[in-house]
Amino acid sequence: MTETLTDAEPLSYEQALEHFDPVLGFEVHVELNTKTKMFSSAPNAFGDEPNTNVNEVCLGLPGTLPVVNGKAVEYAVMLGLALNCQIAERCRFARKQYFYPDTPKNWQTSQYDEPIAFDGYLDIELDDGEVFRVEIERAHMEEDAGKLTHAGTSGRIQGADYSLVDYNRSGIPLVEIVTKPIVGAGARAPELARAYVSAVRDIVKGLGISDAKMERGNVRCDANVSMMPKGTTTFGTRSETKNVNSMRAVEHAVTYEMRRHAGILAAGGTIVQETRHWQEGSRTTSSGRPKSDADDYRYFPEPDLVPIVTTAAWVEELRAQLPEPPAERRRRLLAAWGFSEQEFRDVVAAGLLDEIEETVASGVAPSVARKWWMGEISRLANARDLEPAALGVQPATIAELNALIEQGRINDKIARQVLEHVIAGEGAPEEIVSARGLEVVSDDDGALTAAVEKAMAENPDVVEKIAGGKLKAIGALIGPVMKETRGQADAGAVRKIVLTKLGIEE
Amino acid sequence: MSEISRTDVEHLAKLAHISMTEAELEKMAGELAVIVDSVRSVSEAVSGEVPATSHPLPLTNVFREDEVGHVFTAEQSLLNAPDAEAGRFKVPAILDEE
């Protein structure tokens, strides 16, 4: 018997697409930001001491009973509506049974045959404005599991000596959104993957039903990828890459899986249906556990919870409360800000719409707000391999920096330095400017005039040109003055002094 | 008579993490078949128009207000833990999944 080939060198992206078409599918888990958990009154909070946001229900102690959080149901319906889904008139919970230490009851309370929302769609706008419709199979309610830490030399599950469990996350309300298979995205599949997850994040953020921070796991994506030979319509075997937790990781993971599948299939091999783990460092995936008995979950209706019935009146009441859909909001902001289509798409792709909107609301001109977020802040974020929005810069900080510039107290260059100090945690811009003495050199004590005089004395040829009417030559004096004042001169003030000295009136 | 094979029982036992001897597997296959038949007899007592239900109580929408209630301290949470470290439950290494 010949051994089946299950591994091969990945093809290049171009080669992969030459021979195969990708089929995608996503399961996105959204943590709701209710005050309490899905089935108990323990707090839904992040970052507290381990096992302190738990009670008997979260720990799955025998004899305890779950009670549904009404707010979580309301949020799930709102999300279903925003995903253009049908809302079930009647639905129920089910037990999904498996043994794993992050789930102390040995089952996860979820929904199986009767999800609260189903048959929806999302129109996803790609970077160039093309719209791709993603069909939603279902959105169902369930509870989150506890958090495992693997102890051992590697810090990873492979080779761990033991694991530690914190159940603070156990029971946090989740909505899992499952797409139908997505075909026809072709070379744009990775871009679509990122745009889809981004759209879901924007929706839950807009609805205010989740903190929507991917880096905290509020929005988590499992990406299913398979490849089928061009010209065929039968789906190939899929792999499921788990917990891909940033927009760019989603894009990279889909790209890599497309190449990996194509490599194996092109070599005549077989794709193993399995869970894959995303490796951020190498931008590859590694083999997890094969789909096997472990997926025989023996779902059955949860006997401890009664069914949920939604009335048309209630659903319509919630529908009326929905905020402006993200796509409509984008059209409105594009018109209000006066950016070019390309500029605006870049802002959307960078995930900076909220930040710029808030900055503009704090009184900064839209073009200035865009320059800050798309320029300096994006550059600093890139250098740290973070999404710009994850850098922690507040719109109010930008408004403050901009005000300092407009008051002539700092210049653009110093403002950028101040921003770095803000990111380093040194405080607000105003505090940093005074603590570090970064205010532009004032001429109250003649220091600026002295610096200008020195520059003029050292550059007589430039002075001659200016005196001859070539005012642009003043630029050649700015450099030496900046050097003299350690960058803290205001170019406008320098210009004024030069002109006064030469008796030129503008 | 329902058919519950020895293989079915073995599979269920594995999923439920219950170790069973060969003799127990055979015995249980027979007993489970009888239990399934007994439960099935319920369907003879009701007409096909009675909708299936997963719950005996005529209740729907039993909801709780989203208000924070009591919690345990880490010490209380860990009272039943066979082993603990750094405020967390300590469990054997898990090899098959992240």
Side-chain angles (χ1 to χ4, degrees):
Chain A
M1 191 180 135
T2 52
E3 201 163 305
T4 316
L5 177 77
T6 57
D7 203 7
E9 191 63 27
L11 292 188
S12 74
Y13 191 61
E14 291 70 25
Q15 282 173 326
L17 284 160
E18 206 175 299
H19 304 290
F20 300 97
D21 284 324
V23 179
L24 306 179
F26 300 102
E27 286 149 35
V28 173
H29 287 86
V30 177
E31 271 186 354
L32 302 179
N33 61 1
T34 49
K35 291 195 200 75
T36 66
K37 293 188 176 177
M38 186 73 222
F39 302 114
S40 88
S41 59
N44 168 8
F46 178 86
D48 290 321
E49 286 298 310
N51 297 305
T52 57
N53 287 338
V54 297
N55 61 24
E56 60 282 4
V57 176
C58 318
L59 291 179
L61 298 186
T64 57
L65 285 173
V67 186
V68 173
N69 182 341
K71 195 61 150 180
V73 177
E74 186 180 311
Y75 283 3
V77 171
M78 286 167 73
L79 179 49
L81 291 172
L83 296 170
N84 304 296
C85 285
Q86 307 289 316
I87 302 302
E89 287 173 19
R90 188 184 176 92
C91 68
R92 60 184 175 188
F93 288 97
R95 291 187 181 180
K96 178 183 183 179
Q97 304 176 89
Y98 59 98
F99 287 97
Y100 205 64
D102 63 4
T103 304
K105 303 191 299 289
N106 290 339
W107 76 80
Q108 178 192 33
T109 308
S110 181
Q111 293 193 294
Y112 181 55
D113 52 349
E114 297 182 1
I116 191 154
F118 53 92
D119 283 352
Y121 65 86
L122 259 192
D123 284 331
I124 305 301
E125 201 172 319
L126 299 176
D127 290 349
D128 66 355
E130 190 188 324
V131 173
F132 196 103
R133 176 163 290 193
V134 171
E135 308 275 349
I136 308 291
E137 168 96 26
R138 56 191 278 153
H140 66 255
M141 297 180 283
E142 60 184 28
E143 57 178 337
D144 212 343
K147 189 170 171 48
L148 286 168
T149 312
H150 305 295
T153 42
S154 69
R156 301 192 57 78
I157 186 141
Q158 292 87 358
D161 300 322
Y162 56 88
S163 300
L164 297 173
V165 202
D166 168 13
Y167 290 110
N168 281 350
R169 201 176 63 187
S170 168
I172 286 178
L174 293 177
V175 175
E176 178 176 344
I177 304 162
V178 183
T179 66
K180 289 184 179 156
I182 302 164
V183 291
R188 308 194 72 175
E191 183 191 342
L192 175 64
R194 170 173 50 74
Y196 170 72
V197 177
S198 173
V200 171
R201 187 200 55 177
D202 289 351
I203 284 174
V204 298
K205 203 169 170 186
L207 290 171
I209 61 171
S210 171
D211 292 345
K213 292 193 166 89
M214 286 196 84
E215 67 276 17
R216 280 194 183 177
N218 299 142
V219 177
R220 310 196 288 265
C221 176
D222 299 345
N224 292 283
V225 175
S226 68
M227 296 291 261
M228 55 186 181
K230 271 203 179 303
T232 64
T233 53
T234 309
F235 298 168
T237 305
R238 66 192 164 85
S239 61
E240 180 180 10
T241 306
K242 285 275 192 191
N243 290 335
V244 197
N245 287 343
S246 75
M247 301 296 169
R248 60 175 93 184
V250 170
E251 187 166 5
H252 290 146
V254 168
T255 305
Y256 179 77
E257 279 298 286
M258 286 169 64
R259 293 178 49 219
R260 188 181 69 85
H261 281 231
I264 295 168
L265 294 171
T270 308
I271 305 296
V272 180
Q273 187 170 344
E274 64 180 353
T275 298
R276 307 278 303 178
H277 299 310
W278 173 241
Q279 307 295 345
E280 187 67 49
S282 58
R283 288 192 182 167
T284 61
T285 63
S286 62
S287 180
R289 91 189 139 80
K291 294 273 176 183
S292 64
D293 282 352
D295 286 327
D296 192 343
Y297 295 122
R298 294 151 295 138
Y299 283 96
F300 72 81
E302 167 58 79
D304 287 342
L305 294 167
V306 298
I308 291 172
V309 169
T310 61
T311 61
W314 185 52
V315 171
E316 289 316 308
E317 192 186 311
L318 290 176
R319 195 194 301 276
Q321 288 173 28
L322 294 183
E324 183 183 23
E328 278 176 35
R329 172 174 169 238
R330 284 198 293 272
R331 280 191 284 278
R332 176 176 58 80
L333 292 176
L334 172 61
W337 291 347
F339 295 173
S340 75
E341 296 251 346
Q342 187 58 51
E343 285 170 344
F344 194 80
R345 271 199 296 275
D346 290 345
V347 167
V348 172
L352 289 171
L353 217 46
D354 287 348
E355 286 72 12
I356 293 179
E357 189 180 22
E358 282 176 46
T359 308
V360 170
S362 322
V364 178
S367 60
V368 175
R370 188 183 68 84
K371 198 185 79 188
W372 272 107
W373 285 99
M374 296 301 290
E376 192 62 12
I377 298 170
S378 293
R379 190 184 68 77
L380 293 171
N382 251 325
R384 292 160 173 78
D385 209 22
L386 286 173
E387 308 276 346
L391 201 56
V393 177
Q394 299 302 315
T397 302
I398 299 307
E400 197 182 329
L401 273 177
N402 192 55
L404 288 170
I405 295 170
E406 286 183 348
Q407 291 157 14
R409 293 174 56 195
I410 57 174
N411 59 32
D412 284 358
K413 194 175 161 202
I414 297 290
R416 290 196 292 273
Q417 288 175 21
V418 173
L419 179 64
E420 293 215 37
H421 295 306
V422 171
I423 292 166
E426 291 181 25
E430 181 87 46
E431 293 163 16
I432 293 166
V433 167
S434 40
R436 291 187 162 262
L438 293 173
E439 204 147 333
V440 292
V441 174
S442 76
D443 207 27
D444 294 349
D445 56 357
L448 189 57
T449 300
V452 173
E453 281 170 353
K454 185 164 178 248
M456 289 172 77
E458 284 166 1
N459 299 278
D461 49 330
V462 177
V463 173
E464 200 171 310
K465 275 188 199 161
I466 300 169
K470 287 188 179 159
L471 298 191
K472 272 189 181 164
I474 291 175
L477 291 179
I478 306 280
V481 174
M482 284 293 180
K483 201 174 164 194
E484 189 67 21
T485 58
R486 301 193 329 277
Q488 287 168 241
D490 177 60
V494 172
R495 183 186 171 88
K496 209 172 276 174
I497 295 169
V498 173
L499 293 176
T500 310
K501 292 252 167 228
L502 297 174
I504 300 171
E505 279 191 30
E506 268 194 288
Chain B
M1 180 78 181
S2 296
E3 286 286 323
I4 302 285
S5 71
R6 196 194 141 288
T7 319
D8 291 335
V9 181
E10 192 176 11
H11 178 63
L12 287 171
K14 190 178 165 197
L15 290 174
H17 287 204
I18 299 171
S19 82
M20 295 177 80
T21 63
E22 286 295 320
E24 284 170 328
L25 288 173
E26 289 294 345
K27 186 175 171 225
M28 195 54 74
E31 288 184 2
L32 279 175
V34 172
I35 291 169
V36 169
D37 280 345
S38 307
V39 173
R40 183 175 289 162
S41 67
V42 173
S43 63
E44 288 162 19
V46 292
S47 74
E49 284 150 32
V50 177
T53 180
S54 57
H55 210 283
L57 301 175
L59 290 173
T60 58
N61 294 2
V62 176
F63 295 154
R64 173 175 55 75
E65 290 295 317
D66 187 25
E67 282 162 14
V68 175
H70 75 279
V71 288
F72 294 161
T73 62
E75 292 71 32
Q76 288 170 327
S77 295
L78 295 166
L79 279 176
N80 287 327
D83 201 357
E85 186 178 301
R88 296 170 174 88
F89 291 78
K90 188 172 175 180
V91 298
I94 310 132
L95 297 174
D96 64 347
E97 208 191 346
E98 189 89 312

